[in-house]
Coordinates of all heavy atoms in Angstrom, one line a residue:
G1 N -41.3 4.1 -33.7 CA -40.2 3.3 -33.1 C -40.0 2.1 -33.9 O -38.8 1.7 -34.2
T2 N -41.0 1.4 -34.4 CA -40.9 0.2 -35.1 C -40.3 0.4 -36.5 O -39.7 -0.4 -37.1 CB -42.2 -0.6 -35.2 OG1 -43.1 0.2 -35.9 CG2 -42.7 -0.9 -33.9
D3 N -40.6 1.6 -37.1 CA -40.2 2.0 -38.4 C -39.1 3.1 -38.4 O -39.0 3.8 -39.3 CB -41.4 2.5 -39.2 CG -42.1 3.7 -38.7 OD1 -41.8 4.0 -37.5 OD2 -42.9 4.3 -39.4
Y4 N -38.4 3.2 -37.3 CA -37.4 4.2 -37.1 C -36.4 4.3 -38.3 O -36.1 5.3 -38.8 CB -36.7 4.0 -35.8 CG -35.9 5.2 -35.3 CD1 -36.4 6.1 -34.4 CD2 -34.6 5.4 -35.7 CE1 -35.7 7.2 -33.9 CE2 -33.8 6.5 -35.2 CZ -34.4 7.4 -34.4 OH -33.7 8.5 -33.9
Q5 N -35.9 3.1 -38.6 CA -34.9 3.0 -39.7 C -35.4 3.5 -41.0 O -34.8 4.4 -41.7 CB -34.4 1.6 -39.8 CG -33.3 1.4 -41.0 CD -32.8 0.0 -41.0 OE1 -32.3 -0.5 -40.0 NE2 -32.7 -0.6 -42.2
S6 N -36.5 3.0 -41.4 CA -37.1 3.4 -42.7 C -37.5 4.9 -42.7 O -37.3 5.6 -43.8 CB -38.3 2.6 -43.1 OG -39.3 2.7 -42.2
A7 N -38.0 5.4 -41.6 CA -38.4 6.8 -41.5 C -37.2 7.7 -41.6 O -37.2 8.7 -42.3 CB -39.1 7.1 -40.2
F8 N -36.1 7.3 -41.0 CA -34.9 8.1 -41.1 C -34.3 8.1 -42.6 O -33.9 9.1 -43.1 CB -33.8 7.6 -40.2 CG -32.6 8.5 -40.1 CD1 -32.7 9.8 -39.7 CD2 -31.3 8.0 -40.4 CE1 -31.5 10.6 -39.6 CE2 -30.2 8.8 -40.3 CZ -30.3 10.1 -39.9
E9 N -34.3 6.9 -43.2 CA -33.8 6.9 -44.6 C -34.7 7.7 -45.5 O -34.2 8.3 -46.4 CB -33.8 5.4 -45.0 CG -32.7 4.6 -44.4 CD -32.6 3.2 -44.9 OE1 -33.3 2.8 -45.9 OE2 -31.8 2.4 -44.3
T10 N -36.0 7.7 -45.2 CA -36.9 8.5 -46.0 C -36.5 10.0 -45.9 O -36.4 10.7 -46.9 CB -38.4 8.4 -45.6 OG1 -38.8 7.0 -45.9 CG2 -39.3 9.3 -46.4
G11 N -36.2 10.4 -44.7 CA -35.7 11.8 -44.5 C -34.4 12.1 -45.2 O -34.3 13.2 -45.8
L12 N -33.5 11.2 -45.2 CA -32.2 11.3 -45.9 C -32.4 11.4 -47.4 O -31.8 12.2 -48.1 CB -31.3 10.2 -45.6 CG -30.7 10.2 -44.1 CD1 -29.7 9.0 -44.0 CD2 -30.1 11.5 -43.7
H13 N -33.3 10.6 -47.9 CA -33.6 10.7 -49.4 C -34.2 12.1 -49.8 O -33.9 12.6 -50.8 CB -34.6 9.6 -49.8 CG -34.0 8.2 -50.0 ND1 -33.1 8.0 -51.0 CD2 -34.0 7.1 -49.2 CE1 -32.7 6.7 -50.9 NE2 -33.3 6.1 -49.9
K14 N -35.1 12.6 -48.9 CA -35.6 13.9 -49.1 C -34.5 15.0 -49.1 O -34.5 15.9 -49.9 CB -36.7 14.3 -48.1 CG -38.0 13.5 -48.2 CD -38.9 13.9 -47.1 CE -40.2 13.1 -47.2 NZ -41.2 13.4 -46.1
A15 N -33.6 14.8 -48.2 CA -32.4 15.8 -48.1 C -31.6 15.7 -49.4 O -31.1 16.7 -49.9 CB -31.6 15.4 -46.9
K16 N -31.4 14.5 -49.9 CA -30.6 14.3 -51.1 C -31.3 15.0 -52.3 O -30.7 15.6 -53.1 CB -30.4 12.8 -51.4 CG -29.5 12.6 -52.6 CD -29.2 11.1 -52.8 CE -28.3 10.9 -54.0 NZ -28.1 9.4 -54.2
A17 N -32.6 14.9 -52.3 CA -33.4 15.5 -53.4 C -33.3 17.0 -53.3 O -33.5 17.7 -54.3 CB -34.9 15.1 -53.3
M18 N -33.0 17.6 -52.1 CA -32.8 19.0 -51.9 C -31.4 19.5 -52.3 O -31.1 20.7 -52.2 CB -33.2 19.4 -50.5 CG -34.6 19.2 -50.1 SD -35.0 19.4 -48.4 CE -34.6 21.2 -48.2
G19 N -30.5 18.5 -52.6 CA -29.2 18.9 -53.0 C -28.1 18.4 -52.1 O -26.9 18.6 -52.4
A20 N -28.4 17.8 -51.0 CA -27.4 17.3 -50.1 C -26.6 16.2 -50.7 O -27.2 15.3 -51.3 CB -28.0 16.8 -48.8
V21 N -25.3 16.2 -50.5 CA -24.4 15.0 -50.9 C -23.9 14.3 -49.7 O -23.2 13.3 -49.8 CB -23.3 15.5 -51.8 CG1 -23.8 16.1 -53.1 CG2 -22.4 16.5 -51.1
A22 N -24.1 14.9 -48.5 CA -23.5 14.3 -47.3 C -24.6 14.5 -46.2 O -25.5 15.3 -46.3 CB -22.2 14.9 -46.9
A23 N -24.4 13.7 -45.1 CA -25.2 13.9 -43.9 C -24.2 14.0 -42.7 O -23.3 13.2 -42.6 CB -26.2 12.8 -43.7
C24 N -24.5 14.9 -41.8 CA -23.6 15.2 -40.7 C -24.3 14.7 -39.4 O -25.5 14.8 -39.2 CB -23.3 16.6 -40.6 SG -22.2 17.1 -39.2
F25 N -23.5 14.1 -38.5 CA -23.9 13.6 -37.2 C -23.1 14.1 -36.0 O -21.9 14.4 -36.2 CB -23.9 12.1 -37.2 CG -24.7 11.5 -38.3 CD1 -24.1 11.2 -39.6 CD2 -26.1 11.2 -38.2 CE1 -24.9 10.7 -40.6 CE2 -26.8 10.7 -39.2 CZ -26.2 10.4 -40.4
G26 N -23.6 14.2 -34.9 CA -22.9 14.8 -33.7 C -22.3 13.7 -32.8 O -22.0 14.0 -31.7
D27 N -22.2 12.5 -33.3 CA -21.7 11.4 -32.5 C -20.2 11.6 -32.1 O -19.4 12.2 -32.8 CB -21.8 10.1 -33.2 CG -23.2 9.7 -33.5 OD1 -23.8 10.2 -34.5 OD2 -23.8 8.9 -32.7
I28 N -19.9 11.1 -30.9 CA -18.5 11.3 -30.4 C -17.7 10.0 -30.4 O -16.6 9.9 -31.0 CB -18.5 11.8 -29.0 CG1 -19.2 13.2 -29.0 CG2 -17.1 11.9 -28.4 CD1 -19.3 13.9 -27.6
D29 N -18.3 8.9 -29.9 CA -17.5 7.7 -29.9 C -18.2 6.4 -29.7 O -17.6 5.4 -29.4 CB -16.3 7.7 -28.9 CG -16.8 7.8 -27.4 OD1 -18.0 7.7 -27.2 OD2 -16.0 7.9 -26.5
I30 N -19.6 6.4 -29.8 CA -20.3 5.1 -29.7 C -20.3 4.5 -31.1 O -21.1 4.9 -32.0 CB -21.7 5.4 -29.2 CG1 -21.6 6.0 -27.8 CG2 -22.5 4.0 -29.1 CD1 -23.0 6.2 -27.1
T31 N -19.5 3.4 -31.2 CA -19.3 2.8 -32.6 C -20.6 2.3 -33.2 O -20.8 2.4 -34.4 CB -18.3 1.7 -32.4 OG1 -17.0 2.2 -31.9 CG2 -18.0 1.1 -33.8
E32 N -21.4 1.6 -32.4 CA -22.7 1.1 -32.9 C -23.6 2.1 -33.5 O -24.2 1.9 -34.6 CB -23.5 0.3 -31.8 CG -22.7 -0.9 -31.2 CD -21.7 -0.6 -30.2 OE1 -21.5 0.6 -29.9 OE2 -21.0 -1.5 -29.8
N33 N -23.6 3.3 -32.9 CA -24.4 4.4 -33.5 C -23.9 4.8 -34.8 O -24.6 5.0 -35.8 CB -24.5 5.6 -32.5 CG -25.3 5.3 -31.3 OD1 -25.9 4.2 -31.2 ND2 -25.3 6.2 -30.3
R34 N -22.5 5.0 -34.8 CA -21.9 5.4 -36.1 C -22.1 4.4 -37.2 O -22.5 4.8 -38.3 CB -20.4 5.7 -35.9 CG -19.7 6.0 -37.2 CD -18.3 6.5 -37.0 NE -17.7 6.7 -38.3 CZ -16.7 7.6 -38.5 NH1 -16.2 8.3 -37.4 NH2 -16.2 7.7 -39.6
Q35 N -22.0 3.2 -36.9 CA -22.2 2.1 -37.9 C -23.6 2.2 -38.5 O -23.9 2.0 -39.7 CB -21.9 0.8 -37.3 CG -20.4 0.6 -37.1 CD -20.1 -0.7 -36.4 OE1 -20.9 -1.3 -35.7 NE2 -18.8 -1.2 -36.5
W36 N -24.6 2.4 -37.6 CA -26.0 2.4 -38.0 C -26.2 3.6 -38.9 O -26.9 3.5 -40.0 CB -26.9 2.6 -36.8 CG -28.4 2.5 -37.0 CD1 -29.2 1.4 -37.1 CD2 -29.2 3.6 -37.3 NE1 -30.5 1.7 -37.4 CE2 -30.6 3.1 -37.5 CE3 -29.1 5.0 -37.4 CZ2 -31.7 3.9 -37.8 CZ3 -30.2 5.8 -37.7 CH2 -31.4 5.2 -37.9
E37 N -25.6 4.8 -38.6 CA -25.8 6.0 -39.4 C -25.1 5.9 -40.7 O -25.6 6.3 -41.7 CB -25.3 7.2 -38.6 CG -26.2 7.6 -37.4 CD -25.5 8.3 -36.3 OE1 -24.2 8.3 -36.3 OE2 -26.2 8.7 -35.4
E38 N -23.9 5.2 -40.7 CA -23.2 5.0 -42.0 C -24.1 4.1 -42.9 O -24.1 4.3 -44.1 CB -21.9 4.4 -41.7 CG -20.9 5.3 -41.1 CD -19.6 4.7 -40.7 OE1 -19.6 3.5 -40.4 OE2 -18.5 5.4 -40.6
A39 N -24.7 3.1 -42.3 CA -25.5 2.2 -43.1 C -26.7 3.0 -43.7 O -27.1 2.7 -44.9 CB -26.0 1.0 -42.3
R40 N -27.3 3.9 -43.0 CA -28.5 4.6 -43.4 C -28.0 5.6 -44.6 O -28.7 5.8 -45.6 CB -29.1 5.4 -42.3 CG -29.5 4.7 -41.1 CD -30.7 3.8 -41.3 NE -30.4 2.6 -42.1 CZ -29.8 1.5 -41.7 NH1 -29.3 1.5 -40.4 NH2 -29.6 0.4 -42.4
C41 N -26.8 6.2 -44.4 CA -26.3 7.1 -45.4 C -26.0 6.3 -46.7 O -26.3 6.8 -47.8 CB -25.0 7.8 -44.9 SG -25.3 9.1 -43.8
Q42 N -25.5 5.1 -46.5 CA -25.2 4.3 -47.7 C -26.5 3.9 -48.5 O -26.5 4.0 -49.7 CB -24.5 3.0 -47.3 CG -24.1 2.1 -48.5 CD -23.3 0.8 -48.0 OE1 -23.3 0.5 -46.9 NE2 -22.7 0.1 -49.0
A43 N -27.5 3.6 -47.7 CA -28.8 3.3 -48.4 C -29.4 4.5 -49.1 O -30.1 4.4 -50.1 CB -29.8 2.9 -47.3
A44 N -29.1 5.7 -48.6 CA -29.6 7.0 -49.2 C -28.6 7.6 -50.2 O -29.0 8.6 -50.9 CB -29.9 8.0 -48.1
G45 N -27.4 7.0 -50.3 CA -26.5 7.6 -51.3 C -25.8 8.9 -50.8 O -25.5 9.7 -51.7
L46 N -25.6 9.0 -49.5 CA -25.0 10.2 -48.9 C -23.7 9.8 -48.2 O -23.5 8.7 -47.7 CB -25.9 10.9 -47.9 CG -27.2 11.4 -48.5 CD1 -28.1 11.9 -47.3 CD2 -27.0 12.6 -49.5
V47 N -22.8 10.8 -48.2 CA -21.5 10.6 -47.5 C -21.7 11.0 -46.0 O -22.2 12.1 -45.7 CB -20.4 11.6 -48.1 CG1 -19.1 11.4 -47.3 CG2 -20.2 11.3 -49.5

């Protein structure tokens, strides 16, 4: 829980190394969640 952000970004970096150029999310309309996910994707270099 304390390292949730870095753990997720680590996972996204691994996905990028496997060939992913984007990350998909099931969010509907909670803006704060989307902004957090967009920031994590930016850090990992994913769309």
Side-chain angles (χ1 to χ4, degrees):
T2 61
D3 60 347
Y4 194 95
Q5 177 174 312
S6 60
F8 187 62
E9 287 183 9
T10 296
L12 293 182
H13 280 290
K14 289 179 180 178
K16 185 176 181 181
M18 294 172 65
V21 297
C24 177
F25 303 89
D27 296 83
I28 297 175
D29 65 3
I30 299 180
T31 302
E32 293 81 3
N33 289 357
R34 175 168 177 156
Q35 290 174 338
W36 187 90
E37 289 154 352
E38 288 175 335
R40 305 290 73 74
C41 285
Q42 183 176 12
L46 295 173
V47 177

